[in-house]
Amino acid sequence: MANLKLSTQFTDKFISDSLINTQFSNASKAKDTLLSMTGKGNEYLGWVKLPSSISSSELTKIREAAEIIQSHSQFLVVVGIGGSYLGARAVIEALSSPFQNLEVPKKGVRILYAGHHLDSDYHAQLLAFLETKEFSVNVISKSGTTTEPAIAFRLLLSLLERKYGKEGVKNRVFSTTDASKGALKKLSDDYHFPTFTIPDDVGGRYSILTPVGLLPIAAAGFSINKLVEGAKNMEAELSKDSLPKENPACVYASYRNALYSLGKKTEVMVSYSPSLAYFIEWWKQLYGESEGKDKKGIFPAGVLFTTDLHSMGQYLQEGERNLFETVIQIETPKYDLYMTEKTEDLDGLNYLAGKKLSEVSDQAVLGTLIAHSDGEVPCLQIKIPRLSEEILGELMYFYEFACGISGYMLGVNPFDQPGVEDYKNNMFALLGKKGYEARRKEILDNFGN
Ligand code: PA5
């Protein structure tokens, strides 16, 4: 039985029974389309049964690679962009201490990231930092041709070759890419790097349970078996024959689409824990790339409360009423703190003495839910008991499945991303890449140089 609970208590007053019932019926059809693989983009549905079909030998192979990395490295640099790093980073940062990267580890491996942008300062400083450290690289690209990770990898490979020699890099580079296509596959074969394959039928943003996500997570010291187990429980829960109102993915997709039809064009994902900052980034990509097409789609945004209540709170309470919130609530923190009593109550906080910090936070959550829904911002709540590999596995699979349903309800193909190519084509043309001459001329004629 899944741990996740979805509450619509702070949304129901905005949606009529007939509207939500229509959406439930649409969600049920969309779920059937997804499971029968008869909808748009059905060649990319390999993720649907991934949790229940991933073999224990595949998991063992990934854990063994992680152990090699842990045996000789202090740092693992994960090189990838979009779906090729966000899932791993979401899990690793949700489960790690926010302060662990301040120290070089005596034991275990810290994960660093590269190739997710083109900032020269970042990459120069990363290379300078790694100069004196023991490190490995996991380069991840499904297409094997994405510019940002390819550039970062070229820079890192040069440093690795200088530090460890051509032979030495062979057990310090782990590549994750397509089975046969792309420059990264060819390069990995030429160098004899251990290589993991991304299945053809799994797109980048749905790839957390392939080696894309699993190798970095295992190297960071977390249990990939538990992550997969959680996802498997959620797969069973969501795929079973049930009424849409009893299926949390159908409920989430129905409420999102109902709210969208009422003009709520932005969904703000809210977490009260900064450890979910990258989880929100992962979710933003999943929903933004899946639904934002054909001039349609809810814009996915994210905030961290209570921090952002002091920056975005005013807008959320009283600005344009075109948004709704989805609040992820972690019911029990990993560690709790008690407020103590002071003889002189100089800060005026003695009224909190004896309370846990988490109780204070819970009241901030409730107070904000009441305030925002009073301010005409519908708020959905997703409650999870705690942060763990198993629960993150459940949560991520839940969001993937709901995204497929929601995208079909919207009438788009949730599994392609044609719009991502446009900036790349212009960048290649401007940089003088072979094959982009006509586009280069067009740009220069219109915009000069
Ligand atoms: O979800 C997607 O497909 C994209 O975000 C890709 O993950 C991203 O563009 C990186 O692509 P690649 O893995 O081919 O380098």
Side-chain angles (χ1 to χ4, degrees):
M1 181 62 195
N3 286 290
L4 175 153
K5 282 181 262 157
L6 199 156
S7 165
T8 59
Q9 185 191 358
F10 291 97
T11 304
D12 285 330
K13 69 176 180 186
F14 299 96
I15 300 176
S16 68
D17 286 352
S18 78
L19 176 57
I20 200 62
N21 286 332
T22 306
Q23 298 297 334
F24 280 154
S25 140
N26 294 345
S28 181
K29 287 185 205 125
K31 180 187 155 199
D32 291 345
T33 306
L34 187 71
L35 290 175
S36 61
M37 299 179 76
T38 50
K40 292 180 187 168
N42 61 12
E43 67 277 32
Y44 291 111
L45 291 180
W47 58 271
V48 176
K49 296 210 164 85
L50 203 54
S52 59
S53 62
I54 191 162
S55 68
S56 59
S57 64
E58 174 77 349
L59 292 175
T60 306
K61 215 176 115 202
I62 295 170
R63 282 201 314 273
E64 283 168 2
E67 279 160 22
I68 295 174
I69 295 166
Q70 288 162 344
S71 71
H72 57 43
S73 293
Q74 298 164 305
F75 294 91
L76 170 69
V77 187
V78 172
V79 177
I81 194 165
S84 286
Y85 92 108
L86 281 169
R89 191 163 190 175
V91 172
I92 292 166
E93 301 212 355
L95 298 175
S96 303
S97 156
F99 307 108
Q100 70 168 20
N101 276 357
L102 295 180
E103 284 172 7
V104 174
K106 290 193 180 65
K107 222 173 124 243
V109 174
R110 301 275 185 264
I111 311 299
L112 304 174
Y113 301 89
H116 52 305
H117 51 67
L118 291 166
D119 185 56
S120 179
D121 287 346
Y122 178 94
H123 288 96
Q125 288 169 98
L126 175 67
L127 292 170
F129 175 77
L130 291 170
E131 189 74 46
T132 55
K133 312 292 184 305
E134 296 295 334
F135 76 101
S136 299
V137 170
N138 179 200
V139 54
I140 307 169
S141 175
K142 184 170 186 209
S143 62
T145 56
T146 307
T147 310
E148 291 90 336
I151 289 176
F153 183 55
R154 183 181 275 220
L155 296 168
L156 285 158
L157 184 56
S158 299
L159 176 59
L160 280 169
E161 285 182 315
R162 190 154 52 71
K163 274 174 74 107
Y164 303 108
K166 240 190 144 82
E167 271 306 300
V169 298
K170 281 190 191 156
N171 69 349
R172 287 189 179 263
V173 175
F174 295 79
S175 99
T176 307
T177 189
D178 186 82
S180 55
K181 295 187 295 287
L184 179 59
K185 173 66 182 158
K186 179 164 183 340
L187 187 154
S188 305
D189 287 349
D190 283 5
Y191 270 86
H192 301 290
F193 295 144
T195 301
F196 289 90
T197 298
I198 309 170
D200 274 348
D201 56 358
V202 180
R205 58 190 177 276
Y206 293 85
S207 67
I208 173 69
L209 297 177
T210 72
V212 171
L214 297 179
L215 179 55
I217 292 167
F222 299 111
S223 168
I224 55 174
N225 287 54
K226 287 188 186 159
L227 187 81
V228 171
E229 199 51 41
K232 196 170 152 186
N233 292 340
M234 190 51 88
E235 180 193 325
E237 170 90 11
L238 299 182
S239 311
K240 75 182 180 204
D241 213 7
S242 59
L243 290 173
K245 64 177 184 199
E246 285 162 8
N247 180 311
C250 288
V251 174
Y252 180 54
S254 297
Y255 273 83
R256 294 181 86 244
N257 279 282
L259 291 165
Y260 185 60
S261 75
L262 295 172
K264 304 291 183 189
K265 309 266 182 195
T266 298
E267 177 176 9
V268 184
M269 180 68 69
V270 178
S271 166
Y272 282 75
S273 168
S275 55
L276 289 184
Y278 268 89
F279 186 87
I280 293 177
E281 293 306 311
W282 171 83
W283 168 84
K284 275 160 62 179
Q285 187 209 355
L286 180 62
Y287 279 72
E289 268 191 5
S290 298
E291 291 193 325
K293 45 199 75 156
D294 306 340
K295 310 255 181 297
K296 294 193 275 195
I298 295 171
F299 181 78
V303 288
L304 294 175
F305 286 171
T306 58
T307 313
D308 293 333
L309 283 173
H310 297 258
S311 56
M312 304 296 286
Q314 173 59 36
Y315 191 102
L316 292 167
Q317 189 66 48
E318 294 184 342
E320 181 92 24
R321 300 299 73 187
N322 62 350
L323 39 89
F324 67 98
E325 290 174 15
T326 299
V327 184
I328 308 187
Q329 287 171 244
I330 306 163
E331 286 174 325
T332 315
K334 277 179 269 185
Y335 311 100
D336 219 333
L337 295 170
Y338 283 86
M339 300 302 292
T340 51
E341 179 147 350
K342 289 264 193 198
T343 323
E344 291 182 51
D345 189 20
L346 294 176
D347 54 12
L349 289 180
N350 268 359
Y351 77 103
L352 296 177
K355 286 202 192 311
K356 296 177 194 165
L357 187 49
S358 62
E359 286 176 66
V360 179
S361 178
D362 288 347
Q363 301 319 312
V365 176
L366 184 57
T368 310
L369 283 166
I370 295 168
H372 287 183
S373 62
D374 282 352
E376 289 170 50
V377 176
C379 299
L380 296 167
Q381 291 165 274
I382 290 184
K383 298 181 193 176
I384 53 171
R386 66 196 160 276
L387 284 179
S388 68
E389 290 95 330
E390 196 181 347
I391 286 166
L392 286 167
E394 281 190 16
L395 195 59
M396 291 177 116
Y397 187 86
F398 160 78
Y399 276 117
E400 288 181 347
F401 199 90
C403 190
I405 294 177
S406 187
Y408 281 157
M409 289 171 75
L410 192 64
V412 299
N413 175 354
F415 308 112
D416 66 0
Q417 57 285 330
V420 180
E421 296 310 310
D422 291 0
Y423 96 92
K424 293 186 196 168
N425 292 337
N426 289 341
M427 180 175 77
F428 293 148
L430 288 164
L431 288 168
K433 190 170 174 177
K434 208 163 162 244
Y436 292 82
E437 294 78 7
R439 181 64 185 144
R440 179 176 172 81
K441 183 167 175 330
E442 209 180 339
I443 293 178
L444 294 182
D445 287 348
N446 281 309
F447 300 101
N449 55 9

